[in-house]
Amino acid sequence: MTQSHKSLKEDFVSNLSGGGIWEINYVTAVAPAAVLLWSALQSRQGFFSSYGYAAFAADFLLNVGAILAATTVYSSAPIALNAFLILPAISLYLFPPASRARQTKASQPASVIKPNELQRGQGTLDPIPERPFITHYRGSMMVVTCIAILAVDFRVFPRRFAKVETWGTSLMDMGVGSFVFSAGLISARPVLKAQAAEAKSSVGASLKAAGRHSLPLLALGLIRLFSVKGLDYAEHVSEYGVHWNFFFTLAVLPPAASLIQVLPHWLSSIHLIALLTTCSFQAILDLTSLKAYILIAPRVDLLSQNREGVFSLFGYLSMFLIGQAVGLDILPRSRSTSSLALFGAKAKIKLQPLTRLCLWAAWFSMLLFLATSYMVWGLQVSRRLANLPYVVWVSAFNCAQLALFCAVETFMFPGVYSAPDKSTESRRSKHATSPVLGAFNKNGLPLFLLANLLTGLVNLTIDTLGMSKVGAVVTLFVYASILTVIAKCLHDRSISIKF
């Protein structure tokens, strides 16, 4: 890459101020709106029950194409795009469902548990059930992330959606935080399984397990570092630093989170620890010279060269822990009495996941208002610092997104968790899950890595800045299609690549 072209690309993504939070909400609302229409087609018409090429194409256009449109050609009219998705879904919901002949066995309730299923353990419901709305949330988040990392290099992608330089909010800033929050959310599953088995692991064992998960991420970070430097690829230094990248951040989080076990019992609330971490870091930023050091200090040694990546770990760790706290609260099967660990103390309250998520979203929205209101703290959101307003913004947004996906599932597929046995519940869950989003969810990190590789290939072979709007959209559509086909092929062959 020539120096002049490299400079143009770096300038194209530098010194940006972002956009408004509500616009980001409108754009990202396209994902649950698309799932709403998908769910209406499935629950009322059984459209995706026989999953052939036509069903796959419709699934792709709804759950990938709509997100691509929202971030490009409909970026100035996201409300209209949401209306185009929601109104047909409402119409389908109001009309009577299709005849039972079009419904699959997955949608039909099973009233009898067969003896041979009981012998195989199929009659015992999993205490941590499959939740289609979690799959839709994580799958949609991966689709948005994969599209944005290439689309940002084209002029058809609005500059207000690209990462801000220091202060402000943008779609891609939310994408980074959502990736971490989502990782924390799903990290609650092994914790819950250990609790269900009443197994106690030592800090050493937890660190060892976290280390096995982190080593591949560390290797990916090193590969990206040497690739970027070796190919003289355009990079935005103030994003993470000279050598640091997002893979290094992801590698550090699991071991750091596992160290919570050494804390005293009275400080056992993960949610409380996360808030203490981010509030303490914000206090240090405001009361010391650390903020100035991160933003304007000369890059003279290894730490100063990578100061954004190193010090933002406190904020990302807080997001990861909040995601884990939410996961611990909503992933287990509903019981007659269950605990809501919102304010640190555990209260025994009977609440469904949708209600819980609404409470989490309201709590973090209130914290965001307090943090950013000029009448209270008057702080600005900064992804570069990963400060308190950024952490609570990401948390509020993701809890609200989860609530929307959960609401769609609750109204469109109310019988998912009322199955009498495990196998029936699994069929119902599969019936309520988009195969495309399920494929993105199953191999999220490998697809994210592939998306990075394809992004690099496109940037090294195509003049993205000089491409017309039509050419850019076609290129992005082909890129999204390649990712989706690969994801679906892996999913159909039950291949899950874990890091």
Side-chain angles (χ1 to χ4, degrees), residues 1 5-13 234 459 462 464-465:
M1 184 177 292
H5 191 58
K6 178 184 176 182
S7 299
L8 283 174
K9 283 184 172 288
E10 289 176 349
D11 292 342
F12 190 58
V13 295
N459 275 281
I462 297 176
T464 57
L465 298 183

Side-chain angles (χ1 to χ4, degrees), residues 386-406:
N387 61 355
L388 171 63
Y390 179 61
V391 170
V392 294
W393 174 48
V394 168
S395 302
F397 172 87
N398 280 273
C399 290
Q401 281 277 301
L402 281 163
L404 288 174
F405 284 112
C406 186

Side-chain angles (χ1 to χ4, degrees), residues 160-466:
R160 64 186 182 277
F161 289 175
K163 292 176 183 175
V164 302
E165 187 67 23
T166 302
W167 308 105
T169 58
S170 75
L171 178 66
M172 292 193 72
D173 288 330
M174 176 52 69
V176 174
S178 297
F179 203 103
V180 172
F181 183 97
S182 174
L185 178 78
I186 209 64
S187 73
R189 185 173 289 273
V191 176
L192 288 167
K193 287 182 177 179
Q195 290 177 356
E198 297 183 352
K200 294 183 179 180
S201 60
S202 64
V203 176
S206 298
L207 279 173
K208 186 177 180 180
R212 285 197 299 269
H213 179 74
S214 295
L215 283 177
L217 292 169
L218 182 62
L220 291 174
L222 290 171
I223 292 171
R224 176 175 172 79
L225 169 62
F226 292 128
S227 299
V228 169
K229 300 300 181 184
L231 295 172
D232 196 28
Y233 191 74
E235 55 182 330
H236 192 190
V237 173
S238 64
E239 186 176 343
Y240 294 107
V242 176
H243 310 103
W244 198 274
N245 59 60
F246 190 51
F247 288 110
F248 290 143
T249 297
L250 293 177
V252 171
L253 295 178
S258 66
L259 290 174
I260 290 175
Q261 293 186 41
V262 304
L263 296 174
H265 179 71
W266 61 269
L267 197 57
S268 59
S269 168
I270 295 176
H271 169 235
L272 179 59
I273 294 169
L275 289 182
L276 287 175
T277 301
T278 188
C279 288
S280 298
F281 182 60
Q282 183 64 52
I284 293 172
L285 287 173
D286 291 340
L287 301 176
T288 70
S289 59
L290 180 61
K291 185 193 299 183
Y293 173 78
I294 296 173
L295 298 180
I296 61 175
R299 302 182 187 273
V300 295
D301 52 29
L302 190 62
L303 178 60
S304 61
Q305 287 176 333
N306 300 283
R307 56 185 185 260
E308 291 92 348
V310 172
F311 289 104
S312 64
L313 285 172
F314 293 99
Y316 287 121
L317 176 60
S318 300
M319 275 180 265
F320 184 89
L321 293 176
I322 291 172
Q324 189 177 84
V326 174
L328 291 171
D329 197 40
I330 66 170
L331 289 180
R333 184 176 303 280
S334 297
R335 305 177 190 76
S336 57
T337 57
S338 50
S339 60
L340 178 66
L342 186 58
F343 302 102
K346 292 184 178 181
K348 294 290 182 179
I349 310 172
K350 183 180 178 180
L351 295 176
Q352 295 301 315
L354 179 57
T355 307
R356 291 166 174 271
L357 286 168
C358 289
L359 288 173
W360 281 108
W363 166 241
F364 286 113
S365 297
M366 183 185 72
L367 291 181
L368 176 62
F369 172 78
L370 294 175
T372 57
S373 173
Y374 288 105
M375 296 182 293
V376 189
W377 293 329
L379 302 173
Q380 290 181 285
V381 174
S382 174
R383 175 204 47 80
R384 187 176 177 185
L385 295 172
N387 61 355
L388 171 63
Y390 179 61
V391 170
V392 294
W393 174 48
V394 168
S395 302
F397 172 87
N398 280 273
C399 290
Q401 281 277 301
L402 281 163
L404 288 174
F405 284 112
C406 186
V408 171
E409 179 190 294
T410 301
F411 290 105
M412 292 296 181
F413 303 100
V416 172
Y417 308 112
S418 60
D421 62 279
K422 186 176 180 179
S423 60
T424 303
E425 182 176 79
S426 179
R427 290 197 300 271
R428 292 186 184 181
S429 178
K430 183 178 179 181
H431 179 73
T433 304
S434 157
V436 164
L437 294 181
F440 272 93
N441 173 62
K442 189 170 186 177
N443 285 291
L445 196 55
L447 290 172
F448 178 66
L449 174 61
L450 177 61
N452 275 273
L453 294 174
L454 291 176
T455 296
L457 179 63
V458 169
N459 275 281
L460 291 172
T461 56
I462 297 176
D463 179 14
T464 57
L465 298 183

